[in-house]
Amino acid sequence: MSARTLIRSARVIDGTGTPWFRADLLIEGGRIAAIGPGLAAPGAAVVDAEENFLAPGFIDAHCHDDLITLREPLRPEKLLQGVTTVVVGNCSFSLYPATPASVSALARHFGALLGDVAADEVFADLDAYRRALHGRGMALNLVSLVGHAALRYSVMGTDARPATATEREAMVALLGGQLAQGAAGLSLGLVYPPSAMADAAELEALAAGVRAGGGLLAAHVRSYEAGLGQAVDEFLALLRRSGAAGLLSHLQAAGRPNWGRVPAVLQALEAARSEGIDVAFDMYPYLAGSSYLQQLLPPAALADGLAALLGRLGDAVAREALRRQVEEGDPAPGAPQAKVALIGWGNVMISGVEAPSLKHLEGMRFDAAAAAAGLSPFDLLLRLLEADGGRTAIVMFQLHEDDLRAACCHRLHMFGSDGLPRPGTKPHPRAWGTFPRVVERLAGGQRWLALEEAVRHMTSAPAGRFRLADRGVLRAGMVADLVLFRPELRECSSFEAPERFARGVVRLWVAGEAVVAEGAVTGRRPGRVLRPGATGDARAAA
């Protein structure tokens, strides 16, 4: 357990959005013992804040750090941003629950997003995942959602069809077990197979199960393009019928023809709240997003798996039909828009490749990479799908600043990096730079938000949504997850050099233990898998 520490004369940003004030803060027993001017604490170690800001540790409300936290317990790229808690299991991707028969399918599913996943990195349930994390130790805290895909694979295998009534009941029971073990809720990924295969009956049953278990329903909705409004309406209808609390994942409008749609969605969310629907949303502070290569394909093309798709492409007619769908879209009314048709090959960057023969393509835009290879962009897409086994990561430059500002400044918003950490590649820089970017650019140079309000979006807003009862606000009795940062907190990562650590975090405490001191990671591992709603010992909240 940490010793008593007195932080002297800090500019305190308490996480509520109110203006900063000058005060001391005393840490004792892993919690905040007192806040106020001129505190006396004989025998305490004293830290002079030196005109720096003291805030609750930042909470990454949406990321894909499930695997890297298992492999790299210290997570310096997160600690040096001021992050003390990450929320994983998003967009239907979690490393549990799995049966012996579903381990390989779940490993492949998760691996499409983040590279190879070993069988022993997939777990029977949240308790097993927690034991693995705690056994290795971890520097920061973790909150986990259950991925819809894991439920489907456990109950249905790889069958690409709607669930039967018996299968729905089995998925709901499996979900209930994970919620009882401390999962924060369920995440849907309604553009990603197999979550995309769910019909209304399955989604309604699962939403009711979330409500019964006191959890949160998070959703990567079916469209962020022309169908954004209808996709959000579908999600709100699920929340309305089930009574579950909801979190709309990474609200955005992708592709030039769809720019300007975000304000209407914000109005729909406010209207939903006025009728009693408990909903909020997260979004990252960048104009580019990231995913895996299959996002460039029409959803129906992958209904029976990647191998089956590749098998069909030996037929010239099928190949040309797929090319038209990818590059031009399906002309049928109501069909999903083609990503490439919306943003162009030049706005897709290859960011992560597993195949050694294609590693040189990382960091290149698709059109340039294709020209260098002497191929059309579509033929390069097929080559990557085949040679890389569907594990190629991409970055898509697709959003407009006006939509991003409307989302990030809204009262229902919270910041999540949506980071896809994949060492040895050129991933989106948001895994290394999201939170300094908010301080430096959004609250700094661009003046989108007051600094105190920006901090609320990174602290008490996500803490409240995930029911972290004793985190997210600086007040006596709360767990001492704290960040002391300079006014000139800086993002150093970029799309050209994404894996550069941020600068400006002076000290960082998790449950009162210093995980960053004088700008350097200490190596301590006080983090825990947090159970929503739990209070008690600062290091035993799970």
Side-chain angles (χ1 to χ4, degrees):
M1 185 56 69
S2 57
R4 298 172 78 224
T5 302
L6 180 65
I7 305 169
R8 181 73 76 190
S9 193
R11 290 198 270 178
V12 174
I13 302 176
D14 68 4
T16 67
T18 58
W20 69 265
F21 55 92
R22 184 87 58 185
D24 303 339
L25 185 145
L26 178 64
I27 302 171
E28 191 167 19
R31 292 184 177 271
I32 300 170
I35 304 176
L39 294 181
V46 177
V47 173
D48 185 349
E50 296 181 345
E51 293 301 313
N52 294 314
F53 291 108
L54 181 67
F58 302 148
I59 298 171
D60 190 339
H62 181 119
C63 65
H64 296 277
D65 292 4
D66 318 54
L67 188 60
I68 197 167
T69 304
L70 195 66
R71 293 176 174 176
E72 300 181 10
L74 293 182
R75 304 302 310 285
E77 81 288 357
K78 281 289 167 74
L79 300 184
L80 294 173
Q81 294 182 65
V83 173
T84 54
T85 300
V86 296
V87 180
V88 304
N90 286 288
C91 302
S92 83
F93 293 87
S94 67
L95 293 172
Y96 71 92
T99 66
S102 73
V103 165
S104 60
L106 185 54
R108 286 194 303 272
H109 175 73
F110 205 96
L113 200 66
L114 287 168
D116 286 336
V117 178
D120 64 357
E121 293 173 322
V122 175
F123 300 92
D125 54 20
L126 175 56
D127 279 347
Y129 181 48
R130 179 190 290 113
R131 285 193 298 271
L133 290 167
H134 288 182
R136 292 165 173 82
M138 50 202 233
L140 42 62
N141 302 311
L142 180 144
V143 174
S144 182
L145 297 162
V146 184
H148 181 203
L151 300 179
R152 267 197 147 236
Y153 287 132
S154 291
V155 171
M156 300 176 59
T158 56
D159 290 356
R161 57 172 174 79
T164 66
T166 300
E167 289 165 340
R168 292 195 296 268
E169 291 174 5
M171 278 190 272
V172 170
L174 187 55
L175 168 63
Q178 306 314 300
L179 295 174
Q181 290 179 14
L186 172 71
S187 75
L188 305 173
L190 297 177
V191 299
Y192 298 110
S195 187
M197 306 302 171
D199 61 9
E202 179 179 336
L203 296 178
E204 289 180 10
L206 288 168
V210 170
R211 173 68 177 87
L216 179 71
L217 183 63
H220 179 129
V221 295
R222 292 194 193 274
S223 174
Y224 294 94
E225 293 87 27
L228 175 62
Q230 297 95 316
V232 172
D233 287 345
E234 177 190 26
F235 181 51
L236 292 176
L238 272 178
L239 300 180
R240 181 181 295 110
R241 288 192 290 268
S242 66
L247 182 64
L248 172 60
S249 297
H250 39 61
L251 173 57
Q252 59 191 273
R256 182 182 294 273
N258 304 311
W259 290 348
R261 294 179 184 269
V262 166
V265 173
L266 296 175
Q267 291 178 5
L269 296 179
E270 288 286 11
R273 289 195 66 87
S274 70
E275 66 170 280
I277 298 173
D278 184 4
V279 65
F281 68 94
D282 63 64
M283 182 55 189
Y284 47 84
Y286 295 85
L287 295 175
S290 185
S291 187
Y292 58 23
L293 188 65
Q294 289 92 310
Q295 281 293 285
L296 303 183
L297 300 173
L302 292 165
D304 50 359
L306 179 60
L309 170 65
L310 293 174
R312 293 194 296 271
L313 295 180
D315 179 81
V317 174
R319 188 184 182 100
E320 174 59 17
L322 182 63
R323 185 202 64 76
R324 286 197 303 271
Q325 286 183 305
V326 168
E327 296 188 334
E328 302 168 17
D330 187 335
Q337 291 178 304
K339 183 69 73 175
V340 171
L342 283 174
I343 68 175
W345 290 111
N347 283 315
V348 181
M349 186 181 86
I350 301 166
S351 63
V353 179
E354 293 289 306
S357 62
L358 299 173
K359 289 289 286 185
H360 65 284
L361 299 178
E362 289 177 352
M364 297 181 70
R365 302 293 180 111
F366 230 96
D367 52 355
L375 299 170
S376 72
F378 177 73
D379 286 337
L380 177 60
L381 167 70
L382 298 186
R383 181 178 173 187
L384 281 164
L385 286 171
E386 184 171 14
D388 215 29
R391 295 168 297 175
T392 305
I394 56 174
V395 170
M396 297 168 287
F397 299 84
Q398 59 184 356
L399 308 181
H400 192 277
E401 186 172 285
D402 290 347
D403 283 329
L404 183 64
R405 180 171 186 167
C408 291
C409 294
H410 195 271
R411 71 187 187 101
L412 299 179
H413 166 267
M414 60 199 72
F415 284 106
S417 69
D418 200 11
L420 300 173
R422 196 166 169 180
T425 66
K426 280 204 168 182
H428 195 302
R430 59 195 179 183
W432 283 260
T434 287
F435 297 87
R437 186 182 188 90
V438 171
V439 172
E440 178 186 9
R441 299 193 184 193
L442 272 60
Q446 292 172 290
R447 304 289 183 187
W448 286 9
L449 293 161
L451 178 59
E452 296 90 341
E453 180 63 9
V455 167
R456 185 187 71 80
H457 288 228
M458 300 187 286
T459 56
S460 65
R465 182 77 343 196
F466 291 98
R467 297 189 299 121
L468 304 180
D470 49 10
R471 287 171 167 84
V473 175
L474 300 188
R475 67 168 62 104
M478 303 292 274
V479 173
D481 288 357
L482 311 169
V483 57
L484 184 68
F485 64 93
R486 295 190 178 96
E488 59 273 13
L489 183 60
R490 293 287 181 263
E491 175 192 20
C492 298
S493 54
S494 66
F495 289 99
E496 294 72 29
E499 296 182 331
R500 288 181 177 171
F501 295 137
R503 284 184 275 190
V505 168
V506 180
R507 291 180 183 266
L508 189 72
W509 293 266
V510 172
E513 290 196 41
V515 293
V516 173
E518 302 304 328
V521 174
T522 67
R524 295 180 181 176
R525 302 182 184 187
R528 289 291 184 271
V529 178
L530 303 181
R531 184 185 294 271
T535 57
D537 186 277
R539 287 194 57 194

